[in-house]
Amino acid sequence: MRSRRALKSAGALGLLALAATGCSGSRLGLPEPISVQGERILHLWQGSWIAAFAVGGVVWGLIIWAVLFHRKRSDDLPPQVRYNMPIEILYTAVPFVIIAVLFYFTARDENFVEKTTDNPAVVVDVTGYQWSWQFDYKEGDKTVATVTGVPVAPNGPAPGKPVMVVPVGEKVRVRLHANDVIHSFWVPALIYKKDVMPGYTNEFEFTATKTGTYEGRCAELCGVDHSKMLFQLRVVKPETYQKFIADSKQALAAGGGK
Ligand SMILES: [Cu+2]
């Protein structure tokens, strides 16, 4: 009686979990990617799960087969298969093949995602500090626009989030710097994060495929107000981006410029 009730509530819980993942079910928990690189990571993730389910299916099948058809029938010892060469070779070779295939696709997609080009359309120096972000847009060595987040006072309320603006469909190079401790630049919608280190510049590139505003945060515990180290990534049409840069240049010129 009790076990039936337990089974029932387990079933209900399973249904609830399915409903909670809803339409993102086919993405197996990942958000909808908004960049060419993010799509690649999503496909790697889905492929890995398909491989895992295929292996799992075979293993579960063998377990059920053994449970159903090889129950203990007498006290006689069943035939022993120790040192059976074909079986030993099989279960050494099969895992090796599985790992080799996973390794191949992982290495291929990592190389694609980490690839940097000679002439990205946009270069942004991102600086992480306790506890906010600064975005400096570069043309060569010149800074053409700066967005600075107001640092959070220890245990104070979170101020507005600084916004990083990038054009859709164009290569954006992000160069990561830190002034104090290690932070981590994370935009879940890019399905990507990278450490922000003092004394070392980490870089990556992405090409956004969808306009919109996406949340970003620090993903490395960096102090008391780490959780308030938030920002937004705004992907806009190239014209809007050009206007943002032109306006900023004008403001810089009017203010004496840098
Ligand atoms: Cu941080």
Side-chain angles (χ1 to χ4, degrees), residues 3-4 6 16 37 47 53-54 62 77 79 94 109 138 146 148-149 153 179 189 201 213 227 240 246 253:
S3 68
R4 189 181 290 171
L16 192 73
Q37 290 76 5
F53 276 129
L62 287 171
L77 218 53
V94 169
D109 292 346
K138 306 299 269 193
T146 296
T148 310
N179 294 335
T201 304
T213 302
S227 64
T240 314

Short mmCIF file of all heavy atoms in Angstrom, two decimals, residues 3-4 6 16 37 47 53-54 62 77 79 94 109 138 146 148-149 153 179 189 201 213 227 240 246 253:
data_model
loop_
_atom_site.label_atom_id
_atom_site.label_comp_id
_atom_site.label_asym_id
_atom_site.label_seq_id
_atom_site.Cartn_x
_atom_site.Cartn_y
_atom_site.Cartn_z
N SER A 3 4.02 1.40 -0.73
CA SER A 3 4.89 1.47 -1.90
C SER A 3 4.11 2.00 -3.10
O SER A 3 4.65 2.71 -3.95
CB SER A 3 5.50 0.11 -2.21
OG SER A 3 4.48 -0.76 -2.63
N ARG A 4 2.80 1.66 -3.15
CA ARG A 4 2.00 2.16 -4.27
C ARG A 4 1.87 3.68 -4.20
O ARG A 4 1.97 4.37 -5.20
CB ARG A 4 0.62 1.52 -4.26
CG ARG A 4 -0.15 1.84 -5.53
CD ARG A 4 -1.52 1.24 -5.55
NE ARG A 4 -1.50 -0.20 -5.68
CZ ARG A 4 -2.58 -0.96 -5.56
NH1 ARG A 4 -3.74 -0.40 -5.28
NH2 ARG A 4 -2.52 -2.27 -5.70
N ALA A 6 4.01 5.67 -2.77
CA ALA A 6 5.33 6.24 -3.10
C ALA A 6 5.51 6.29 -4.61
O ALA A 6 5.99 7.27 -5.17
CB ALA A 6 6.43 5.39 -2.46
N LEU A 16 5.80 16.55 -13.13
CA LEU A 16 6.04 17.95 -12.79
C LEU A 16 7.38 18.41 -13.38
O LEU A 16 7.48 19.48 -13.97
CB LEU A 16 6.04 18.11 -11.27
CG LEU A 16 5.99 19.55 -10.77
CD1 LEU A 16 4.59 20.12 -10.98
CD2 LEU A 16 6.35 19.62 -9.29
N GLN A 37 28.12 30.67 -32.14
CA GLN A 37 28.93 29.79 -31.29
C GLN A 37 28.05 29.04 -30.28
O GLN A 37 28.28 27.86 -29.99
CB GLN A 37 29.99 30.62 -30.54
CG GLN A 37 31.10 31.18 -31.42
CD GLN A 37 30.68 32.37 -32.28
OE1 GLN A 37 29.57 32.89 -32.18
NE2 GLN A 37 31.58 32.82 -33.13
N GLY A 47 23.98 16.25 -28.84
CA GLY A 47 24.61 15.04 -29.38
C GLY A 47 25.15 14.16 -28.26
O GLY A 47 25.03 12.92 -28.31
N PHE A 53 22.21 8.46 -23.96
CA PHE A 53 20.96 7.67 -23.89
C PHE A 53 21.10 6.35 -24.67
O PHE A 53 20.57 5.33 -24.26
CB PHE A 53 19.77 8.49 -24.44
CG PHE A 53 19.18 9.40 -23.41
CD1 PHE A 53 18.97 10.74 -23.68
CD2 PHE A 53 18.81 8.93 -22.14
CE1 PHE A 53 18.43 11.60 -22.72
CE2 PHE A 53 18.27 9.76 -21.19
CZ PHE A 53 18.08 11.11 -21.48
N ALA A 54 21.84 6.39 -25.79
CA ALA A 54 22.03 5.17 -26.57
C ALA A 54 22.82 4.15 -25.74
O ALA A 54 22.44 2.98 -25.65
CB ALA A 54 22.77 5.49 -27.88
N LEU A 62 20.68 -4.77 -21.16
CA LEU A 62 21.46 -5.93 -20.70
C LEU A 62 21.13 -6.28 -19.25
O LEU A 62 21.03 -7.46 -18.90
CB LEU A 62 22.97 -5.64 -20.84
CG LEU A 62 23.51 -5.65 -22.27
CD1 LEU A 62 24.94 -5.15 -22.31
CD2 LEU A 62 23.43 -7.06 -22.87
N LEU A 77 27.03 -23.57 -9.75
CA LEU A 77 27.69 -22.36 -10.25
C LEU A 77 27.37 -22.21 -11.74
O LEU A 77 27.49 -23.18 -12.50
CB LEU A 77 29.20 -22.51 -10.04
CG LEU A 77 29.97 -21.27 -9.62
CD1 LEU A 77 29.36 -20.61 -8.39
CD2 LEU A 77 31.43 -21.63 -9.40
N PRO A 79 28.07 -21.08 -15.73
CA PRO A 79 29.33 -21.11 -16.47
C PRO A 79 30.13 -19.83 -16.22
O PRO A 79 29.56 -18.74 -16.24
CB PRO A 79 28.88 -21.18 -17.94
CG PRO A 79 27.41 -21.34 -17.92
CD PRO A 79 26.89 -21.15 -16.56
N VAL A 94 35.09 -0.99 -26.74
CA VAL A 94 33.87 -0.19 -26.89
C VAL A 94 33.95 1.14 -26.13
O VAL A 94 33.69 2.19 -26.72
CB VAL A 94 32.61 -1.01 -26.51
CG1 VAL A 94 31.39 -0.12 -26.41
CG2 VAL A 94 32.38 -2.11 -27.55
N ASP A 109 34.35 21.27 -31.91
CA ASP A 109 33.48 22.40 -31.59
C ASP A 109 34.17 23.43 -30.70
O ASP A 109 33.92 24.63 -30.82
CB ASP A 109 32.18 21.88 -30.94
CG ASP A 109 31.34 21.11 -31.95
OD1 ASP A 109 31.64 21.22 -33.16
OD2 ASP A 109 30.40 20.40 -31.55
N LYS A 138 36.63 49.91 -28.60
CA LYS A 138 37.91 50.34 -29.14
C LYS A 138 37.87 50.46 -30.65
O LYS A 138 37.21 49.68 -31.34
CB LYS A 138 39.00 49.32 -28.79
CG LYS A 138 39.12 49.00 -27.31
CD LYS A 138 39.46 50.18 -26.45
CE LYS A 138 40.94 50.33 -26.27
NZ LYS A 138 41.24 51.31 -25.18
N THR A 146 32.50 54.44 -23.66
CA THR A 146 32.72 53.76 -22.38
C THR A 146 31.40 53.67 -21.63
O THR A 146 30.66 54.65 -21.56
CB THR A 146 33.73 54.55 -21.52
OG1 THR A 146 34.99 54.55 -22.18
CG2 THR A 146 33.91 53.91 -20.15
N THR A 148 30.21 52.50 -17.84
CA THR A 148 30.72 52.08 -16.54
C THR A 148 29.57 51.78 -15.60
O THR A 148 28.67 52.60 -15.44
CB THR A 148 31.60 53.18 -15.91
OG1 THR A 148 32.55 53.60 -16.87
CG2 THR A 148 32.33 52.65 -14.68
N GLY A 149 29.62 50.63 -14.96
CA GLY A 149 28.62 50.29 -13.96
C GLY A 149 29.01 50.94 -12.64
O GLY A 149 30.19 51.08 -12.34
N ALA A 153 28.12 49.34 -3.21
CA ALA A 153 28.73 49.54 -1.90
C ALA A 153 28.54 48.25 -1.11
O ALA A 153 27.52 47.58 -1.28
CB ALA A 153 28.04 50.68 -1.18
N ASN A 179 40.81 44.21 -12.39
CA ASN A 179 41.69 45.09 -11.63
C ASN A 179 42.03 44.52 -10.27
O ASN A 179 43.01 44.91 -9.66
CB ASN A 179 41.02 46.46 -11.41
CG ASN A 179 40.84 47.20 -12.71
OD1 ASN A 179 41.57 46.95 -13.67
ND2 ASN A 179 39.86 48.09 -12.75
N ALA A 189 22.70 33.25 -22.28
CA ALA A 189 22.15 33.10 -23.63
C ALA A 189 23.24 32.86 -24.68
O ALA A 189 22.96 32.37 -25.77
CB ALA A 189 21.32 34.33 -24.00
N THR A 201 45.03 38.81 -20.07
CA THR A 201 43.87 39.14 -20.88
C THR A 201 43.32 37.88 -21.54
O THR A 201 43.99 37.27 -22.36
CB THR A 201 44.25 40.18 -21.95
OG1 THR A 201 44.82 41.31 -21.29
CG2 THR A 201 43.03 40.63 -22.74
N THR A 213 17.59 41.83 -25.43
CA THR A 213 18.36 42.14 -24.23
C THR A 213 18.51 40.87 -23.40
O THR A 213 17.52 40.20 -23.12
CB THR A 213 17.66 43.25 -23.42
OG1 THR A 213 17.52 44.39 -24.27
CG2 THR A 213 18.46 43.63 -22.19
N SER A 227 27.03 38.55 -5.95
CA SER A 227 25.72 38.26 -6.54
C SER A 227 25.08 39.48 -7.18
O SER A 227 24.13 39.35 -7.95
CB SER A 227 24.78 37.68 -5.49
OG SER A 227 24.56 38.66 -4.49
N THR A 240 21.74 50.92 -35.34
CA THR A 240 21.58 51.39 -33.96
C THR A 240 22.93 51.42 -33.26
O THR A 240 23.26 52.36 -32.52
CB THR A 240 20.61 50.46 -33.19
OG1 THR A 240 19.48 50.21 -34.01
CG2 THR A 240 20.19 51.07 -31.88
N ALA A 246 28.60 56.75 -32.78
CA ALA A 246 28.71 58.13 -33.29
C ALA A 246 28.33 59.12 -32.19
O ALA A 246 29.04 60.12 -31.98
CB ALA A 246 27.80 58.30 -34.51
N ALA A 253 34.05 64.30 -27.98
CA ALA A 253 34.65 65.47 -28.61
C ALA A 253 34.20 66.74 -27.90
O ALA A 253 34.99 67.65 -27.63
CB ALA A 253 34.29 65.52 -30.09
#
